[in-house]
Amino acid sequence: MNIRKIDKLDLEILNILQEDGKVSNAEIARKVGKAPSAVLERVRKLKKSGIIKGYECIVNHKALGRGLTAFTSIRVEEGVGATEVGQKLAEFPEVLEVHYTAGRDSYLVKVRVEDTEALQATLAKFGTIGPVRDTNSTIVLTTVKESRVIPLPHEKD
């Protein structure tokens, strides 16, 4: 990934894209007061430098039968800094996030499944990974906020 300095125009473009990833290049150009070709070039550079990693569709997990969200702390026996278990955990489709952490547990994993029986089956699969020694899950009752938007300044000249 190339490190690239971000200016006010880049921040404006990123804020617009984070609000609506499907917004057209022409609409971004209108909102920032620049030519569409200039905006297209900026977006291309933001992608090339790795600042824009991609675009995704946000679906209603409950409407798709995945109504249970859980955060599972996982304790493993692997060397400090080793993330092989994390790579294996990330392969399970019901695992949405895998975070290697400091502290007593090695990983914090976000899981989205149908119900408690499906969570139990997922935890059993985690247990088949050799170095996994213990899991502790917290089941989400209500999600107050869930976002992937990175707060950026909204500076104007």
Side-chain angles (χ1 to χ4, degrees), residues 106-120:
S106 302
Y107 296 96
L108 179 63
V109 177
K110 181 178 181 180
V111 177
R112 192 158 276 150
V113 292
E114 295 84 1
D115 51 30
T116 55
E117 290 81 15
L119 177 60
Q120 183 177 2

Side-chain angles (χ1 to χ4, degrees), residues 28-82:
I28 297 171
R30 187 190 66 71
K31 287 182 176 183
V32 300
K34 299 290 181 185
S37 59
V39 169
L40 185 62
E41 181 63 18
R42 289 286 185 127
V43 171
R44 188 189 66 74
K45 286 180 180 177
L46 289 166
K47 287 179 185 176
K48 185 176 180 182
S49 67
I51 293 168
I52 295 177
K53 293 173 61 173
Y55 302 92
E56 50 187 31
C57 174
I58 301 168
V59 298
N60 181 337
H61 62 279
K62 290 179 183 177
L64 297 173
R66 297 285 178 108
L68 189 139
T69 302
F71 290 91
T72 301
S73 298
I74 302 174
R75 188 179 308 164
V76 301
E77 288 183 15
E78 64 182 348
V80 174

Side-chain angles (χ1 to χ4, degrees), residues 2-18:
N2 301 325
I3 296 178
R4 180 176 184 278
K5 185 174 167 123
I6 301 295
D7 63 16
K8 289 179 182 179
L9 178 58
D10 291 331
L11 288 173
E12 285 184 72
I13 292 169
L14 290 170
N15 277 315
I16 292 166
L17 285 170
Q18 283 193 115

